[in-house]
Amino acid sequence: MRNILVTNALPYANGPIHMGHLLGYIQADIWVRAMRAMGHDVTYVCADDAHGTAIMLRAEANGITPEAQIANVQKEHIRDFDGFGVHFDHYDSTNSDENKARSEEIYIKNREAGNIAIRPVTQLFDPEKSMFLSDRFIKGTCPKCKAEDQYGDSCEVCGTTYNATELLNPRSTLSGATPVEKSSDHYFFKLPNFAEYLQKWTRDEGRLPVSIANKLDEWFDNGLNDWDISRDAPYFGFEIPDAPNKYFYVWVDAPIGYMSSFENYIKTKRPELNFNEFWKKDSKNEVYHFIGKDIVYFHALFWPAMLEGANYRTPTGLFVNGFLTVNGQKMSKSRGTFIKAETYLQHLNPEYLRYYFASKLSDKVEDSDLNLDDFVQKVNSDLVGKVVNIASRCAKFINTKFDNRLSKTSTESALVQSFIDAGDSIAKAYEAREFSTAIREIMALADRANQYIDEKKPWALAKLEGEEQQVHDVCSVGINLFRQLAVYLAPVLPTLAAQVQDFLKLESFDFASAKTILVNHEIALFQPLMQRVDPKAVAAMVDASKDSLVSAAEPAKVEKKKEKKAAPAKAEPKVGEAGVIGIEDFIKVDLRVAEVLEAAHVEGSDKLLQLTLNVGEAEPRNVFSGIREFYAPEDLKGKLVVMVANLAPRKMRFGISNGMVLAAGNGEGVWVISPESGAKAGDKVS
């Protein structure tokens, strides 16, 4: 038996759980249930990420305290997780006494080890709100191309990155006031102290997906920088020890919440567990974090460095999932595919979604698509048409003709044994997080079971005189085969599994319990187990999602929605005016068609996306583009764009940008320029 601690990425206590969130939580819950079914001791904890400026401002807008804000959201999160069968052993908040104490301890240990630096930082300060402004709360005119209404870190029009202090005509988006420059001491974690350690740590076998480890090499190639871990008052969070009015940046205490949530679980529910046995250096117990690919940098660089600096163990492994699209596109409020967990639960069985996600998930860092038509077809075909159908076809004979008791003889034992033997392969697939493989194997068994029943035709035998024993034997075999399928599906469909366990009157439903064949065994009266998905319910859910996203709490977000429409006609500029080039300069520009191989958020930037582009060359290009507000990474992957291919490489604080993706804007939105159909990567644009 292995002792395992599993955590999920902490949902931010600033809004509801939606389908994109659930992908990672359902993945983790399935793995936890599978590992328990194999006999391992698994603890599963999570917490709300409850600190930061955004929560402070949201609470202010709602007229309540931050504490009340996070308490309200936590109730909703727990409700939604319970609704989808995501059952944490303990669900906490990062705004706890235990997390405060643990954060201070880890900080002090790193400070004593020489891993903390203090130096002044000049920032823009809102004199009306009396607070320093992060880049996303500042707008102004781009210092290079003079485009207006640009955020404080980069220009969406020309792609230039800059410091907020370089903006022309800056204004606070919180008050409208003109910010002033002000210096303040900031506290930094010396991440470069751990460069050699982290390079080895990220390459330890099994620690990270290889694709993620390769991506992290870019950080090492460019050199690690000190990490700013402080924020000035006012800020909702924990005050830094011996530093009045200085607060830990939210990403300091958030991952420490994994530790404090586990600590609170021990205190309140399992005192026999030992915290240090899991978190001490060189612990033999296992710790795994299930996270989304957008927060890998924090978990694979900052988090292990903080733990190493404080002399704690680091995670055994990071399990990383991709993003979710719906019907092949980014989740959309206007299309009704930005679906909240609460809205889904009002219309559909949550186990439908658990099964569909499981049929898509593997150990690879890939995006998943929820195709609603395929969703209906797959659930109806697999779960209702194949699995549940076996029980309904056989149970009625056992209930009505054989006094609810299976046959005393074990016929077709070789067939049943083959289903039992398949459990080893299915268990291995679950453990490797190859859920789609496990589902394929289970459905192949379901096909065999249905084929057996079709061949034996118990309904026809029941009409023949003297065939009662044959009917009894065939239906008993069918129930045994159904039992095997239900056990193997239990990590994915816990509610269905509990119903089947009651129907079959079994004390245990773990994988080991399914090693024996049920003979002369009493069962209960069969009740319908799962209904077919009604396409009308799916349509109603989509319609409800269109309406439910407009709320009084978020009027600004609705008003600021960017609609894709043509830019208004403008007077043609004259050659020689600012920003205008002559034809002799323009013909030097090498425009190429590029295919977006990968797209990802840039940690530390509110506006940049990092693009990996195929331009028809031997090596792909790395390009940073200021389009994050208008595109999600999953919108761009596989898309053809037009780029300037002969710009000199530009060193940015996030890495080297080797080109520029062309985009157009009209003050209301920005859209990437794509070539006509038929173009391919590397084609020259003329």
Side-chain angles (χ1 to χ4, degrees):
M1 183 181 71
R2 293 154 59 184
N3 296 306
I4 304 170
L5 172 61
V6 174
T7 76
N8 261 126
L10 311 186
Y12 201 44
N14 202 32
I17 302 298
H18 57 67
M19 294 295 99
H21 295 133
L22 284 169
L23 181 68
Y25 296 106
I26 288 175
Q27 181 188 30
D29 184 81
I30 291 172
W31 194 76
V32 167
R33 291 177 184 273
M35 296 302 285
R36 286 173 176 164
M38 296 176 214
H40 304 301
D41 189 329
V42 185
T43 300
Y44 185 29
V45 301
C46 194
D48 268 352
D49 183 359
H51 289 153
T53 302
I55 286 174
M56 179 181 71
L57 294 174
R58 173 58 63 87
E60 180 182 306
N62 291 339
I64 57 178
T65 65
E67 290 80 4
Q69 168 74 26
I70 62 178
N72 292 340
V73 173
Q74 186 177 43
K75 291 177 183 177
E76 295 174 0
H77 286 180
I78 292 173
R79 174 203 66 199
D80 292 342
F81 287 136
D82 284 345
F84 278 91
V86 178
H87 287 169
F88 301 106
D89 292 308
H90 184 73
Y91 193 84
D92 215 302
S93 167
T94 56
N95 192 47
S96 69
D97 292 339
E98 289 76 10
N99 200 40
K100 182 176 186 295
R102 194 66 64 180
S103 298
E104 291 176 349
E105 175 207 359
I106 288 176
Y107 167 78
I108 290 172
K109 284 183 176 179
N110 273 289
R111 184 180 67 185
E112 291 175 348
N115 297 324
I116 304 297
I118 306 172
R119 58 177 179 269
V121 172
T122 298
Q123 296 173 277
L124 292 183
F125 183 83
D126 186 328
E128 291 190 15
K129 297 288 289 185
S130 296
M131 63 183 292
F132 286 96
L133 298 171
S134 62
D135 291 342
R136 65 176 173 156
F137 295 130
I138 306 166
K139 279 194 171 183
T141 302
C142 172
K144 182 176 181 181
C145 75
K146 306 303 186 290
E148 297 181 353
D149 206 36
Q150 300 304 307
Y151 281 97
D153 59 350
S154 65
C155 177
E156 297 163 342
V157 177
C158 72
T160 300
T161 60
Y162 40 71
N163 293 321
T165 53
E166 299 177 76
L167 270 180
L168 305 177
N169 305 315
R171 71 180 189 281
S172 166
T173 62
L174 301 179
S175 68
T178 300
V180 297
E181 289 190 17
K182 190 173 181 179
S183 180
S184 170
D185 282 343
H186 274 231
Y187 290 67
F188 292 83
F189 181 80
K190 295 181 180 179
L191 192 62
N193 288 2
F194 299 89
E196 184 177 347
Y197 170 80
L198 290 171
Q199 277 191 292
K200 181 180 182 302
W201 188 88
T202 57
R203 287 295 180 181
D204 283 349
E205 185 175 357
R207 184 89 69 184
L208 295 171
V210 174
S211 61
I212 296 296
N214 292 340
K215 194 71 175 175
L216 290 171
D217 281 345
E218 295 176 12
W219 280 58
F220 297 121
D221 293 342
N222 294 324
L224 300 180
N225 297 317
D226 287 354
W227 177 37
D228 191 340
I229 62 169
S230 67
R231 295 295 184 267
D232 290 279
Y235 190 82
F236 183 57
F238 295 141
E239 199 169 45
I240 298 176
D242 307 316
N245 294 318
K246 305 289 182 182
Y247 291 82
F248 286 126
Y249 172 46
V250 62
W251 266 108
V252 174
D253 62 80
I256 297 173
Y258 300 143
M259 303 173 79
S260 60
S261 183
F262 180 58
E263 189 173 11
N264 271 330
Y265 171 63
I266 293 173
K267 288 181 180 179
T268 57
K269 298 173 184 174
R270 284 195 68 184
E272 73 275 12
L273 291 180
N274 186 299
F275 178 88
N276 290 328
E277 286 301 313
F278 278 84
W279 287 101
K280 69 180 180 180
K281 266 294 188 64
D282 302 321
S283 170
K284 300 301 181 184
N285 294 338
E286 301 167 58
V287 176
Y288 298 101
H289 300 319
F290 281 80
I291 61 171
K293 65 181 181 180
D294 55 328
I295 54 174
V296 163
Y297 296 121
F298 291 104
H299 285 81
L301 296 177
F302 305 135
W303 176 227
M306 283 198 303
L307 290 169
E308 175 66 14
N311 202 35
Y312 279 114
R313 64 90 49 79
T314 55
T316 310
L318 302 180
F319 297 153
V320 184
N321 65 269
F323 298 127
L324 180 71
T325 57
V326 179
N327 293 337
Q329 296 178 299
K330 176 186 175 183
M331 292 188 297
S332 164
K333 298 177 182 180
S334 62
R335 290 190 295 268
T337 56
F338 193 103
I339 304 166
K340 294 191 297 184
E342 178 186 21
T343 306
Y344 178 102
L345 291 170
Q346 291 169 353
H347 295 87
L348 294 168
N349 183 337
E351 301 223 315
Y352 297 160
L353 189 71
R354 289 179 64 100
Y355 178 77
Y356 191 78
F357 279 169
S359 73
K360 297 280 188 176
L361 286 165
S362 70
D363 68 338
K364 297 178 178 61
V365 188
E366 297 176 334
D367 294 344
S368 298
D369 183 55
L370 170 58
N371 181 289
L372 294 176
D373 290 337
D374 182 52
F375 166 78
V376 172
Q377 188 278 331
K378 184 180 287 290
V379 171
N380 288 345
S381 173
D382 289 2
L383 297 185
V384 181
K386 294 181 181 179
V387 178
V388 173
N389 188 48
I390 298 169
S392 63
R393 297 170 85 184
C394 297
K396 63 180 180 180
F397 293 107
I398 303 295
N399 291 147
T400 60
K401 293 182 175 294
F402 305 109
D403 196 26
N404 302 321
R405 187 169 292 276
L406 301 181
S407 175
K408 294 180 181 180
T409 57
S410 179
T411 62
E412 302 291 349
S413 57
L415 175 61
V416 179
Q417 187 62 48
S418 71
F419 274 51
I420 294 173
D421 293 342
D424 291 339
S425 174
I426 292 168
K428 288 178 181 177
Y430 273 125
E431 182 174 356
R433 304 180 320 288
E434 291 285 359
F435 298 162
S436 58
T437 299
I439 294 299
R440 283 196 299 273
E441 293 188 26
I442 294 168
M443 286 305 125
L445 294 177
D447 287 336
R448 289 178 59 194
N450 280 290
Q451 182 181 8
Y452 168 78
I453 296 169
D454 288 340
E455 290 174 351
K456 296 297 183 180
K457 296 180 175 57
W459 56 89
L461 291 172
K463 297 176 182 178
L464 302 177
E465 187 176 349
E467 295 295 340
E468 289 84 0
Q469 187 61 49
Q470 178 80 339
V471 173
H472 198 185
D473 291 344
V474 169
C475 291
S476 296
V477 169
I479 293 296
N480 267 280
L481 299 180
F482 171 71
R483 180 265 198 111
Q484 296 297 324
L485 298 174
V487 167
Y488 298 150
L489 284 169
V492 179
L493 307 172
T495 300
L496 177 68
Q499 293 170 334
V500 174
Q501 185 176 355
D502 290 342
F503 160 57
L504 296 180
K505 294 188 175 183
L506 295 172
E507 293 184 4
S508 177
F509 217 63
D510 60 16
F511 286 2
S513 71
K515 296 289 186 182
T516 57
I517 300 175
L518 300 178
V519 176
N520 194 27
H521 179 83
E522 184 182 7
I523 65 173
L525 188 66
F526 178 77
Q527 302 290 338
L529 294 171
M530 185 172 282
Q531 301 299 319
R532 294 175 65 84
V533 184
D534 185 352
K536 293 180 180 178
V538 175
M541 175 186 69
V542 171
D543 287 341
S545 297
K546 292 177 184 177
D547 297 333
S548 66
L549 290 159
V550 181
S551 68
E554 298 181 315
K557 186 177 290 186
V558 176
E559 291 169 7
K560 289 166 66 177
K561 184 181 185 301
K562 308 289 190 293
E563 294 292 346
K564 293 190 177 182
K565 56 186 179 182
K570 295 184 179 180
E572 183 178 340
K574 299 177 181 178
V575 174
E577 289 182 345
V580 178
I581 63 174
I583 187 65
E584 66 279 3
D585 294 313
F586 181 75
I587 61 176
K588 298 177 184 177
V589 178
D590 182 11
L591 298 179
R592 300 274 177 175
V593 175
E595 177 190 5
V596 181
L597 302 177
E598 296 290 341
H601 291 125
V602 176
E603 303 300 338
S605 171
D606 295 329
K607 293 301 152 192
L608 290 179
L609 289 181
Q610 183 173 12
L611 308 178
T612 303
L613 304 177
N614 170 21
V615 200
E617 300 170 339
E619 296 292 333
R621 299 272 195 111
N622 181 73
V623 172
F624 293 99
S625 182
I627 55 175
R628 176 167 174 168
E629 183 179 358
F630 304 94
Y631 288 90
E634 57 267 29
D635 289 340
L636 294 170
K637 190 172 180 180
K639 186 180 181 71
L640 292 179
V641 299
V642 177
M643 71 168 290
V644 180
N646 61 339
L647 285 179
R650 179 178 180 185
K651 185 169 184 180
M652 305 170 70
R653 59 191 174 110
F654 307 105
I656 303 296
S657 186
N658 196 7
M660 176 188 292
V661 171
L662 296 187
N666 65 353
E668 296 183 358
V670 169
W671 305 282
V672 167
I673 296 173
S674 298
E676 293 290 335
S677 60
K680 63 181 184 298
D683 284 352
K684 189 174 180 63
V685 179
S686 57

